[in-house]
Amino acid sequence: MTQRYDVVIIGGGHNGLITAGYLAKAGKRVVVLEKRYVLGGAAVTEEIVPGFRFSVMSYVVSLLRPEIIRELELPKHGLEILPLDGTITPLEDDYLWRVNDHGKNIREIRRWNKADAEAYEEYGKLMAEIARFVKPFLSMVPPDQGR
């Protein structure tokens, strides 16, 4: 028997799944096609080495809008976002370790570059300012390109 769908979404990453969720909620029959064995894109954590769970794009999930989480009832469907305690960036013969402690981060950056450590404070302020500027645009409906 042939199944019919209103919408076929190619790609079961987080964007495809969110789109499918909204379309299904609107009453559309949706199918999502994904070539990988796992769905979720940036929202996926995988065991890449025995005992070590890792997500290359986990920070992107922090950009998941609260209204999407609420409207699609994602926690009810298993979404759990864990706080990020820190990150480690492997470098040639060393690493850069960042944690939720501003002073420790500055000391860690200073190990690599004193000027970058001094600029870190200003960098944080600029990033917060940019985020405040961009945030309103994230929930705007884009203009109709056909008009």
Side-chain angles (χ1 to χ4, degrees), residues 13 22 33 52 106 115 128 134:
Y22 276 109
L33 306 176
F52 183 72
I106 289 175
V134 170

Side-chain angles (χ1 to χ4, degrees), residues 42-63:
V44 171
T45 299
E46 296 181 83
E47 189 169 11
I48 59 171
V49 175
F52 183 72
R53 296 175 56 81
F54 179 77
S55 177
V56 174
M57 299 285 284
S58 62
Y59 76 92
V60 175
V61 175
S62 69
L63 302 176

Side-chain angles (χ1 to χ4, degrees), residues 27-39:
K28 301 293 182 188
R29 287 181 40 89
V30 181
V31 65
V32 177
L33 306 176
E34 171 58 50
K35 69 179 179 179
R36 293 190 70 219
Y37 68 94
V38 64
L39 297 173

Side-chain angles (χ1 to χ4, degrees), residues 68-135:
I68 293 171
I69 294 170
R70 184 178 55 256
E71 290 168 1
L72 295 179
E73 303 177 72
L74 297 180
K76 178 177 142 185
H77 298 287
L79 176 69
E80 180 182 5
I81 298 178
L82 302 174
L84 180 64
D85 293 328
T87 63
I88 188 163
T89 304
L91 301 167
E92 254 184 76
D93 300 325
D94 207 343
Y95 59 87
L96 177 63
W97 182 36
R98 290 162 292 175
V99 295
N100 292 330
D101 180 315
H102 187 71
K104 285 182 182 178
N105 288 337
I106 289 175
R107 288 190 295 279
E108 180 67 8
I109 294 168
R110 190 174 290 124
R111 285 190 328 112
W112 288 95
N113 186 297
K114 288 180 178 37
D116 285 349
E118 300 308 317
Y120 184 68
E121 189 81 37
E122 185 63 23
Y123 168 78
K125 290 176 186 174
L126 287 171
M127 290 303 290
E129 193 174 318
I130 290 168
R132 275 193 303 277
F133 174 77
V134 170
K135 187 176 181 179

